[in-house]
Amino acid sequence: MTDQTASPVPSSLTPEPAHPNPQGVRRVAVLTSGGDAPGMNAAIRAVVRTAASQGIEVVGVRRGFSGLHRGELQLLGPRDVANTIQRGGTILLTARSHTWRTPEGRTRGAQHLRDWNVDGLIVIGGDGSFHGAHYLQQEHGIPVIGVPGTIDNDLYGTDHTIGYFTAVETALDAVDKLRDTGASHERIFVIEVMGRHAGHIALDVAVAGGAEEVFIPEDAKDVSCVLDVVRQSVAKGKTGSIIIVAEGYPGGAQGVADAIQAGTGMETRVSILGHIQRGGSPVSSDRVLASRLGEAAVYALMEGRSDVMVGRQNHGITFIPLNDTWEKRKDVNRDLYRCAKTLSV
Amino acid sequence: MTDQTASPVPSSLTPEPAHPNPQGVRRVAVLTSGGDAPGMNAAIRAVVRTAASQGIEVVGVRRGFSGLHRGELQLLGPRDVANTIQRGGTILLTARSHTWRTPEGRTRGAQHLRDWNVDGLIVIGGDGSFHGAHYLQQEHGIPVIGVPGTIDNDLYGTDHTIGYFTAVETALDAVDKLRDTGASHERIFVIEVMGRHAGHIALDVAVAGGAEEVFIPEDAKDVSCVLDVVRQSVAKGKTGSIIIVAEGYPGGAQGVADAIQAGTGMETRVSILGHIQRGGSPVSSDRVLASRLGEAAVYALMEGRSDVMVGRQNHGITFIPLNDTWEKRKDVNRDLYRCAKTLSV
Amino acid sequence: MTDQTASPVPSSLTPEPAHPNPQGVRRVAVLTSGGDAPGMNAAIRAVVRTAASQGIEVVGVRRGFSGLHRGELQLLGPRDVANTIQRGGTILLTARSHTWRTPEGRTRGAQHLRDWNVDGLIVIGGDGSFHGAHYLQQEHGIPVIGVPGTIDNDLYGTDHTIGYFTAVETALDAVDKLRDTGASHERIFVIEVMGRHAGHIALDVAVAGGAEEVFIPEDAKDVSCVLDVVRQSVAKGKTGSIIIVAEGYPGGAQGVADAIQAGTGMETRVSILGHIQRGGSPVSSDRVLASRLGEAAVYALMEGRSDVMVGRQNHGITFIPLNDTWEKRKDVNRDLYRCAKTLSV
Amino acid sequence: MTDQTASPVPSSLTPEPAHPNPQGVRRVAVLTSGGDAPGMNAAIRAVVRTAASQGIEVVGVRRGFSGLHRGELQLLGPRDVANTIQRGGTILLTARSHTWRTPEGRTRGAQHLRDWNVDGLIVIGGDGSFHGAHYLQQEHGIPVIGVPGTIDNDLYGTDHTIGYFTAVETALDAVDKLRDTGASHERIFVIEVMGRHAGHIALDVAVAGGAEEVFIPEDAKDVSCVLDVVRQSVAKGKTGSIIIVAEGYPGGAQGVADAIQAGTGMETRVSILGHIQRGGSPVSSDRVLASRLGEAAVYALMEGRSDVMVGRQNHGITFIPLNDTWEKRKDVNRDLYRCAKTLSV
């Protein structure tokens, strides 16, 4: 994995007017880290092709910071990312790195980047991965740009994260299926969705899935309030109820289900959707977001930016200091939360 | 729910040459019972429309035998089943009936059928439901026809049961998603699929999902044989492994996962797919099977048959004594089982 | 269809603090008009349930303005919209109305609304439907609120229209399938997507689908520029190319394909995706948007607003004068257009 | 592409008891030819892994007979087919070969096979491809086995062909979407599906899609009979009708639509589903069929068979003389055809 031969980039493939490049960036590295998310491949592709359009080479790092530590680097050209835009997972793999937690580990990784003449590193992942990137900047002066790749959408500074839209769609598909069987049996389904400590996925799924109630970490309401909801549903003649619970809500779906069984004696099933929410072909919104952010990350390095995450707010690209992504918290959409309640009538 | 008014069936809607009807069947009832299965609505639709084409009325019973006990009967016409062929669940709902287990309960149900002038009952469900139907025939002489509706495909006498194809597709979709994330993280996923005490779903999903190993109730091999499989996969350079476990295999997916963790120390995740396998829009094979069997059930009653299940073997309709469906066991496809092993190289 | 009996709305179902209602709105009507769009049912549901939460009744009008002209009105309660959030199409049907183009026709419709004591009308559709609503306000003083429901996303004042996200997903799914077969055969596919006179769908599909080139009405570039793209793709070793053409681009997909065949002699296929883009179960983003806008429309009428469309810009609700929706034009996302070019390397 | 280095097959990877191999087959070739079909990759994978389990090497031929003519051969090992079971298209690509129609062209291809020490060739495709394979056997004595890979399911001797199930599902998905929009607008959709000169796809789609009428090449009924069907639908209060037309029916969907417009004046739309039916991730039934047949093809060569197609009838593997596949015709399922009519009431 030490092939440093330059893959020639024909000048005829630079259709774009040259983007400003005061630092003379000529080679960038990219890695994916943390939990994987659908759209990561689309982001890698966007990095590679944007760089190619600017005559810049890309080095792919396998297995996240773990692979960076071990020097698993390899040139990536446009043909290497052909037919990947629709693929789930990440072609660069990902890993949790224990060695990266030590200065020694990070020093080795930084050395590999220097050996490969890398001018900057793009890290696609969540805030844990951004910590890892931040160290490279702080301890070794290597320019780093973060690209938000996580299904949880819990990164401050960007409206959405790559993988979020697909995870919501996957969870919603499961809810639609459970609704069928819940209605037939007139039973209650309590469905747990991912999101780590945030309720973004839960909220979108609750509204889109027509749930009767939703429990998110951002609202500490007592689980017992689900009892009124369930009784009201029965009184209104509903056959089957759907309750959505974010994994970060204390007690999870099991806690809510137990409360329902204890408080009403009604037949209740728990469904923990689990890791299917991490996989699958990315939906269009994730592919488009990944394409915009991957492109923006390359331009950011060329412009001399560092220690920032490229995000998308409203429709524009933003640059958020990496530490803000974990020090600041992005609230759930409170209007949507209120809407969920209104429409569960 | 006591509307017994005849919904007129215009003679112009009998395009089919009249099917032999020596008993002069004029009205049949239909219910869905047990676990629901995608395609049940398509079967109900087929019953209603076939009957209409023969000038026969249909009475729908809500909530399975529980509703039959309570007299929840209502006429069903062709317009009542419009736009239902693609819907999951069952418009007649389903339920577990405790009252049906008593002769008194069954007597009440039989009386409702007689009050409604029902000449025969079609029961769409699994062998538990067929028991319920069998009683009606034995104790009250009411002609009954069973239609195999269960995702487990564990009914003797029919190659497939309604709902099976969709359940396999749903499970496979989950496996494809987990494969993405497993490959990215180089971890092992042990996935539990439904099937009650049978391995049909597990086997189809294992082959179609490219699994490294599959555990089914019909093969008592020791869970420890998965250790060799896992080690071989790693040796072959595979990133990520998929192991399929039928819910009826002793210990389930958790047992297999524990064995892997204990025996290899490798990162292993368990995914219990659960009730999503019961819902969703039925795939084409289930809609077609449901249409053939619903039609065949009406013709069977007209022909004077009773106490049989209509099944499809190879491409022809079969009539299997109801008691055979639970007394005899349908083996898994042994050729497919062997094939699964061969292709996991 | 003249049942004007009030369906009682129990006070216990008004969980929301009462929204300001200075006009004392007590009954609103809702209709869907124009081309149908996935999510229209979710919007109807949101209207009905928001109104119910505020103790307001809803009258559903069937078949758009055509039905309004004929007086096809009926009360709609929360149970009428149960299990509709995931359904494509519209339960209220839709139609093109010729009678609505005449003042006499509109006068009859207005009279029906007054006969039913309707305080305001919510129209879910595109700008053609908003014209129809505008007349009611201008000529008869009936408060009207527009809700943007069209797959084309060509309405000024809202970032997205209900149905847009699903149409993009449907078109993208087709592109993914054509990519498989194009790559196998090393042929070029020119795919035409909907959008009326706009390029929104085409642009999102082109980026998400990894297309080599996209033709939109908003850019009058000559079709011959596709020749360079195709030759470059071949030179780069790509097996198969995807070109996206918006239906509003002069000559459509056929024109582009003819140019390729004539200019390069390469095997080219045309695929006109057609009306499948109008149907299907709405994706989560359409269900959420429909829920927000349906809710907002009811509140708007309560607040005394009229002759406006409720839209969503960034994350907030906007109120756009109806005539602006057809007099002003919303441009495509120019950043995304540029990004599409960059990533086609 | 002339790497003939043997990729070692460790003896520990022969878990299967050795299959009888009287001819001492040691190396087989495989190619895909003709229209591509979802599941071809699963079949290639099955060939490679079955061969590996028996200590036999596999040579992949790119671009069908065209590539065989040019000598585009390369060894294929188990790792080369990793993660391909769910992929549409074919990793070996496919092509129409004009050179293969000449004895000289075929002689060159045969020579390449001998240069590579190939003991037999597996051809995955339709009857056109089987013609090509047949020549190799007849003119050069090279053992050939055909594997039925075509979405049309028009090969005699096998119940289904690889790709058929997925094509039906894709077409059905489009029908479901068109049904939504047809019902909303109360218009008639005439949908054309693939199938070349056969009506298999059309028939399954018509039953599963709840169509009012279906036109297949195997039944020369006059197009005017659709007029009665349409009028009946309207009389029965149906909103929207679906008519399925096989591409091989004279006049296609356009002809049927013209007849409806002319005979009833009702709003009718034509939808030609086209090449999306050739792509997409294969559904489980195609992956399982492909796995069984790919495995059977390798065993067939080992057993010394030649000039036959491996098929699956009922649940067993069959061996059909190649010329039978094009000389004999497989009828549509007449019971299903009749059932389609009955259920359109």
Side-chain angles (χ1 to χ4, degrees):
Chain A
M1 287 214 133
T2 54
D3 177 1
Q4 303 184 16
T5 319
S7 47
V9 178
S11 58
S12 64
L13 285 178
T14 53
E16 290 302 303
H19 196 84
N21 191 4
Q23 318 284 332
V25 168
R26 298 195 52 212
R27 186 182 272 190
V28 303
V30 61
L31 65 79
T32 48
S33 169
D36 57 320
M40 278 184 162
N41 279 326
I44 295 167
R45 171 185 179 272
V47 166
V48 170
R49 293 195 173 190
T50 300
S53 77
Q54 299 289 326
I56 291 172
E57 291 179 319
V58 175
V59 174
V61 182
R62 285 171 65 89
R63 297 189 177 82
F65 288 108
S66 182
L68 179 57
H69 176 254
R70 289 196 299 272
E72 294 185 47
L73 280 64
Q74 189 173 21
L75 280 174
L76 271 188
R79 292 275 61 76
D80 295 316
V81 293
N83 290 316
T84 60
I85 198 173
Q86 73 274 46
R87 289 172 54 180
T90 161
I91 59 173
L92 291 178
L93 308 188
T94 180
R96 282 192 292 270
S97 174
H98 305 290
T99 51
W100 205 257
R101 297 175 190 276
T102 68
E104 295 75 27
R106 298 193 288 269
T107 298
R108 279 195 60 183
Q111 189 56 47
H112 287 303
L113 290 177
R114 277 191 293 267
D115 290 346
W116 278 75
N117 298 316
V118 167
D119 300 312
L121 171 67
I122 293 170
V123 171
I124 306 169
D127 61 10
S129 310
F130 293 168
H131 267 96
H134 185 64
Y135 284 128
L136 273 179
Q137 162 72 39
Q138 298 295 103
E139 298 173 351
H140 301 279
I142 293 175
V144 293
I145 299 291
V147 173
T150 165
I151 65 166
D152 304 320
N153 196 20
D154 57 351
L155 288 173
Y156 175 88
T158 183
D159 289 343
H160 304 105
T161 56
I162 297 164
Y164 175 70
F165 295 103
T166 306
V168 168
E169 215 59 54
T170 293
L172 181 62
D173 179 68
V175 170
D176 281 351
K177 286 179 162 61
L178 292 170
R179 175 181 285 284
D180 282 341
T181 187
S184 304
H185 285 268
E186 295 170 301
R187 65 165 62 113
I188 300 163
F189 267 103
V190 183
I191 303 166
E192 186 172 301
V193 299
M194 283 184 156
R196 234 183 12 162
H197 311 298
H200 303 285
I201 293 178
L203 197 45
D204 262 340
V205 173
V207 174
E212 268 71 45
E213 179 63 88
V214 58
F215 288 89
I216 57 178
E218 294 87 347
D219 181 349
K221 68 189 180 190
D222 191 73
V223 66
S224 61
C225 70
V226 74
L227 301 179
D228 286 333
V229 168
V230 168
R231 293 190 189 109
Q232 270 192 7
S233 287
V234 174
K236 278 177 280 180
K238 284 193 177 185
T239 57
S241 285
I242 299 280
I243 316 277
I244 304 295
V245 182
E247 65 175 332
Y249 180 80
Q254 193 59 59
V256 175
D258 291 345
I260 296 175
Q261 288 272 180
T264 68
M266 299 183 61
E267 185 181 350
T268 309
R269 292 284 168 98
V270 171
S271 181
I272 313 240
L273 299 186
H275 281 73
I276 57 171
Q277 294 165 89
R278 290 264 184 90
S281 177
V283 297
S284 67
S285 294
D286 275 320
R287 300 189 202 184
V288 170
L289 177 63
S291 298
R292 290 292 314 278
L293 295 183
E295 178 197 39
V298 173
Y299 291 153
L301 280 177
M302 292 173 73
E303 291 161 12
R305 299 179 190 270
S306 180
D307 208 29
V308 293
M309 171 193 83
V310 288
R312 189 181 66 185
Q313 284 187 358
N314 299 327
H315 304 284
I317 299 294
T318 55
F319 304 97
I320 308 297
L322 282 185
N323 53 298
D324 275 2
T325 68
W326 61 79
E327 289 174 8
K328 296 186 180 177
R329 188 180 177 87
K330 180 170 72 185
D331 194 18
V332 283
N333 184 329
R334 294 283 165 179
D335 286 333
L336 195 58
Y337 190 34
R338 184 193 42 72
C339 181
K341 192 68 210 164
T342 301
L343 301 189
S344 65
V345 167
Chain B
M1 284 211 129
T2 53
D3 176 1
Q4 303 182 14
T5 318
S7 47
V9 177
S11 58
S12 64
L13 285 178
T14 53
E16 290 303 302
H19 195 84
N21 191 4
Q23 317 284 333
V25 168
R26 298 194 53 213
R27 184 183 273 191
V28 303
V30 61
L31 64 79
T32 48
S33 170
D36 56 321
M40 278 184 163
N41 280 326
I44 295 167
R45 172 185 180 272
V47 165
V48 170
R49 294 195 171 190
T50 301
S53 77
Q54 298 291 325
I56 292 172
E57 290 179 321
V58 175
V59 174
V61 181
R62 284 171 67 88
R63 296 190 177 82
F65 289 108
S66 181
L68 179 56
H69 175 255
R70 289 196 299 272
E72 296 185 45
L73 281 65
Q74 189 173 21
L75 280 173
L76 271 188
R79 291 275 61 74
D80 294 316
V81 294
N83 289 316
T84 59
I85 197 172
Q86 74 274 45
R87 289 173 54 179
T90 161
I91 59 172
L92 291 178
L93 307 188
T94 180
R96 283 192 292 270
S97 175
H98 305 290
T99 52
W100 205 256
R101 297 175 190 276
T102 69
E104 295 75 26
R106 297 192 288 268
T107 298
R108 280 195 60 183
Q111 189 56 46
H112 287 303
L113 290 176
R114 278 190 295 266
D115 290 344
W116 278 74
N117 299 317
V118 168
D119 299 312
L121 172 68
I122 293 170
V123 171
I124 305 169
D127 60 11
S129 311
F130 293 167
H131 266 99
H134 185 62
Y135 283 130
L136 273 179
Q137 162 72 40
Q138 298 295 101
E139 297 173 353
H140 300 279
I142 293 175
V144 293
I145 299 291
V147 173
T150 164
I151 66 167
D152 304 319
N153 196 20
D154 57 351
L155 288 172
Y156 175 89
T158 182
D159 288 343
H160 304 106
T161 56
I162 297 164
Y164 175 71
F165 295 102
T166 306
V168 167
E169 215 60 55
T170 293
L172 182 61
D173 179 69
V175 170
D176 281 350
K177 288 179 161 62
L178 292 171
R179 175 181 284 285
D180 282 341
T181 187
S184 304
H185 285 267
E186 296 171 299
R187 65 165 62 114
I188 300 163
F189 267 103
V190 183
I191 304 166
E192 186 173 300
V193 299
M194 283 185 155
R196 229 178 21 158
H197 311 296
H200 304 284
I201 293 178
L203 197 45
D204 261 340
V205 172
V207 173
E212 268 71 44
E213 179 62 270
V214 58
F215 289 89
I216 57 178
E218 294 87 347
D219 182 348
K221 69 189 180 190
D222 191 72
V223 66
S224 60
C225 71
V226 75
L227 301 179
D228 286 334
V229 167
V230 168
R231 293 191 190 108
Q232 269 190 9
S233 287
V234 174
K236 277 178 280 178
K238 284 194 177 185
T239 57
S241 286
I242 299 279
I243 316 277
I244 306 295
V245 181
E247 65 175 333
Y249 179 82
Q254 194 60 58
V256 174
D258 291 345
I260 296 175
Q261 289 271 177
T264 69
M266 298 182 63
E267 185 182 349
T268 308
R269 294 284 169 100
V270 171
S271 181
I272 313 240
L273 298 187
H275 281 75
I276 56 171
Q277 295 165 89
R278 289 264 185 90
S281 178
V283 297
S284 67
S285 295
D286 275 320
R287 301 189 202 184
V288 169
L289 177 61
S291 297
R292 289 293 313 279
L293 295 182
E295 179 197 38
V298 173
Y299 290 152
L301 280 177
M302 293 173 71
E303 292 160 11
R305 299 179 190 272
S306 181
D307 207 28
V308 293
M309 171 192 83
V310 288
R312 188 182 66 185
Q313 284 188 356
N314 299 328
H315 305 286
I317 299 294
T318 54
F319 304 97
I320 308 297
L322 282 185
N323 52 299
D324 275 2
T325 68
W326 62 79
E327 289 174 6
K328 296 186 179 176
R329 186 179 178 87
K330 181 170 73 184
D331 194 18
V332 283
N333 185 329
R334 294 283 164 179
D335 287 333
L336 194 59
Y337 191 36
R338 184 193 41 72
C339 181
K341 192 70 209 162
T342 302
L343 301 189
S344 65
V345 167
Chain C
M1 287 210 128
T2 53
D3 177 1
Q4 303 183 15
T5 318
S7 48
V9 178
S11 58
S12 63
L13 285 179
T14 52
E16 289 303 303
H19 195 85
N21 191 3
Q23 317 284 334
V25 167
R26 298 195 52 211
R27 183 183 274 189
V28 302
V30 62
L31 64 79
T32 48
S33 169
D36 57 320
M40 277 184 163
N41 280 326
I44 295 167
R45 172 185 179 272
V47 166
V48 170
R49 295 194 170 191
T50 301
S53 77
Q54 299 290 325
I56 291 173
E57 292 179 319
V58 175
V59 174
V61 183
R62 284 171 65 89
R63 296 190 177 84
F65 289 108
S66 181
L68 178 56
H69 174 255
R70 290 195 301 272
E72 295 185 45
L73 280 65
Q74 189 173 21
L75 280 174
L76 271 189
R79 293 274 63 74
D80 294 317
V81 294
N83 289 316
T84 59
I85 198 172
Q86 74 273 48
R87 289 173 55 180
T90 161
I91 59 172
L92 292 178
L93 308 187
T94 180
R96 281 191 293 270
S97 174
H98 305 290
T99 52
W100 205 256
R101 298 175 189 277
T102 68
E104 294 75 26
R106 298 192 288 269
T107 298
R108 280 195 60 183
Q111 189 55 47
H112 287 304
L113 290 176
R114 278 192 293 269
D115 290 345
W116 278 74
N117 297 317
V118 167
D119 299 314
L121 171 68
I122 293 170
V123 171
I124 306 170
D127 60 12
S129 310
F130 293 168
H131 266 98
H134 185 64
Y135 284 128
L136 272 179
Q137 162 73 39
Q138 299 295 101
E139 297 173 355
H140 300 279
I142 292 175
V144 294
I145 299 290
V147 173
T150 165
I151 65 166
D152 302 320
N153 195 19
D154 57 351
L155 288 172
Y156 176 88
T158 182
D159 289 343
H160 303 106
T161 55
I162 297 165
Y164 175 71
F165 296 102
T166 307
V168 167
E169 215 61 54
T170 294
L172 182 61
D173 179 69
V175 170
D176 281 351
K177 288 179 160 65
L178 292 171
R179 176 181 283 285
D180 283 340
T181 187
S184 305
H185 284 267
E186 297 172 297
R187 66 166 62 113
I188 300 163
F189 267 104
V190 183
I191 304 165
E192 187 173 299
V193 299
M194 282 185 156
R196 233 184 10 164
H197 310 296
H200 304 284
I201 294 179
L203 197 45
D204 261 340
V205 172
V207 173
E212 268 72 43
E213 179 62 269
V214 58
F215 289 89
I216 57 179
E218 294 88 344
D219 182 348
K221 69 190 180 190
D222 191 72
V223 66
S224 60
C225 71
V226 74
L227 301 179
D228 286 333
V229 168
V230 167
R231 294 191 189 109
Q232 270 191 7
S233 287
V234 175
K236 277 177 281 180
K238 284 193 175 185
T239 56
S241 286
I242 299 279
I243 316 277
I244 305 295
V245 182
E247 64 175 334
Y249 179 81
Q254 194 60 60
V256 174
D258 291 345
I260 296 175
Q261 288 271 178
T264 70
M266 299 183 61
E267 185 182 350
T268 308
R269 292 283 169 101
V270 171
S271 180
I272 312 241
L273 299 186
H275 280 75
I276 57 171
Q277 294 166 88
R278 289 265 185 88
S281 177
V283 298
S284 67
S285 295
D286 274 320
R287 300 189 203 185
V288 170
L289 177 62
S291 298
R292 290 291 314 279
L293 295 182
E295 179 196 38
V298 173
Y299 291 151
L301 280 177
M302 292 174 71
E303 292 161 11
R305 299 179 191 271
S306 180
D307 208 28
V308 293
M309 172 193 82
V310 288
R312 188 182 67 184
Q313 283 187 358
N314 298 328
H315 305 285
I317 298 295
T318 55
F319 304 97
I320 309 297
L322 282 186
N323 52 300
D324 275 3
T325 69
W326 62 79
E327 289 173 8
K328 296 186 179 177
R329 187 179 176 87
K330 181 171 71 184
D331 195 18
V332 284
N333 185 330
R334 293 283 164 180
D335 287 332
L336 195 59
Y337 190 35
R338 185 191 40 71
C339 181
K341 193 67 210 165
T342 301
L343 302 189
S344 64
V345 167
Chain D
M1 288 211 125
T2 53
D3 177 0
Q4 303 183 14
T5 319
S7 47
V9 178
S11 58
S12 64
L13 285 178
T14 53
E16 289 302 304
H19 196 85
N21 191 4
Q23 318 285 334
V25 168
R26 298 194 53 212
R27 184 183 272 190
V28 303
V30 62
L31 64 80
T32 48
S33 169
D36 57 321
M40 277 184 163
N41 280 326
I44 295 167
R45 172 185 179 270
V47 165
V48 170
R49 294 194 172 192
T50 300
S53 77
Q54 298 290 325
I56 292 172
E57 291 179 320
V58 176
V59 175
V61 182
R62 285 171 66 88
R63 296 192 177 85
F65 289 108
S66 183
L68 179 58
H69 175 255
R70 289 196 299 272
E72 294 185 46
L73 281 66
Q74 189 171 20
L75 280 173
L76 271 189
R79 292 276 60 75
D80 294 317
V81 293
N83 290 315
T84 59
I85 198 173
Q86 73 274 46
R87 289 173 55 179
T90 161
I91 60 172
L92 291 178
L93 306 189
T94 180
R96 283 192 292 271
S97 175
H98 304 290
T99 51
W100 205 256
R101 297 174 190 278
T102 68
E104 295 75 24
R106 297 192 287 268
T107 297
R108 279 196 61 183
Q111 188 56 46
H112 287 303
L113 290 176
R114 278 191 293 269
D115 290 345
W116 277 75
N117 298 317
V118 166
D119 299 312
L121 171 67
I122 293 170
V123 172
I124 306 169
D127 60 13
S129 311
F130 293 167
H131 267 97
H134 185 63
Y135 285 128
L136 272 178
Q137 162 73 39
Q138 298 295 101
E139 297 173 352
H140 301 279
I142 292 174
V144 293
I145 299 291
V147 173
T150 165
I151 65 167
D152 302 320
N153 195 20
D154 56 353
L155 287 172
Y156 176 88
T158 182
D159 289 343
H160 303 106
T161 56
I162 297 165
Y164 175 72
F165 295 103
T166 307
V168 167
E169 215 61 54
T170 294
L172 182 61
D173 179 70
V175 170
D176 281 350
K177 287 179 161 63
L178 291 171
R179 176 180 283 286
D180 282 341
T181 187
S184 305
H185 285 268
E186 296 172 299
R187 65 165 62 111
I188 300 163
F189 268 103
V190 183
I191 304 165
E192 187 173 299
V193 299
M194 282 185 156
R196 232 182 14 161
H197 310 298
H200 304 285
I201 293 179
L203 197 46
D204 261 341
V205 172
V207 173
E212 269 71 44
E213 179 62 90
V214 58
F215 289 89
I216 56 179
E218 294 87 345
D219 181 347
K221 68 190 180 189
D222 191 71
V223 67
S224 61
C225 71
V226 74
L227 302 178
D228 286 334
V229 168
V230 167
R231 294 190 190 110
Q232 269 192 7
S233 286
V234 174
K236 278 179 280 180
K238 285 193 176 184
T239 56
S241 286
I242 300 278
I243 316 276
I244 305 295
V245 182
E247 64 175 333
Y249 179 81
Q254 194 59 58
V256 174
D258 291 344
I260 297 175
Q261 288 271 178
T264 69
M266 298 183 62
E267 185 182 350
T268 308
R269 293 284 169 101
V270 171
S271 181
I272 313 240
L273 299 187
H275 281 75
I276 58 171
Q277 295 165 88
R278 289 265 185 88
S281 177
V283 298
S284 68
S285 295
D286 275 321
R287 300 190 203 184
V288 170
L289 177 62
S291 298
R292 290 292 313 280
L293 295 183
E295 179 196 39
V298 173
Y299 290 152
L301 280 177
M302 293 173 72
E303 293 160 11
R305 299 180 191 269
S306 181
D307 208 27
V308 293
M309 171 192 83
V310 288
R312 188 182 66 185
Q313 283 188 358
N314 298 329
H315 305 284
I317 299 294
T318 54
F319 305 96
I320 309 296
L322 282 186
N323 52 299
D324 274 3
T325 68
W326 62 78
E327 289 174 8
K328 296 187 180 178
R329 186 180 178 88
K330 181 170 71 184
D331 194 18
V332 284
N333 184 328
R334 294 283 164 179
D335 287 333
L336 195 59
Y337 191 34
R338 185 192 41 71
C339 180
K341 193 67 210 165
T342 302
L343 301 189
S344 65
V345 167

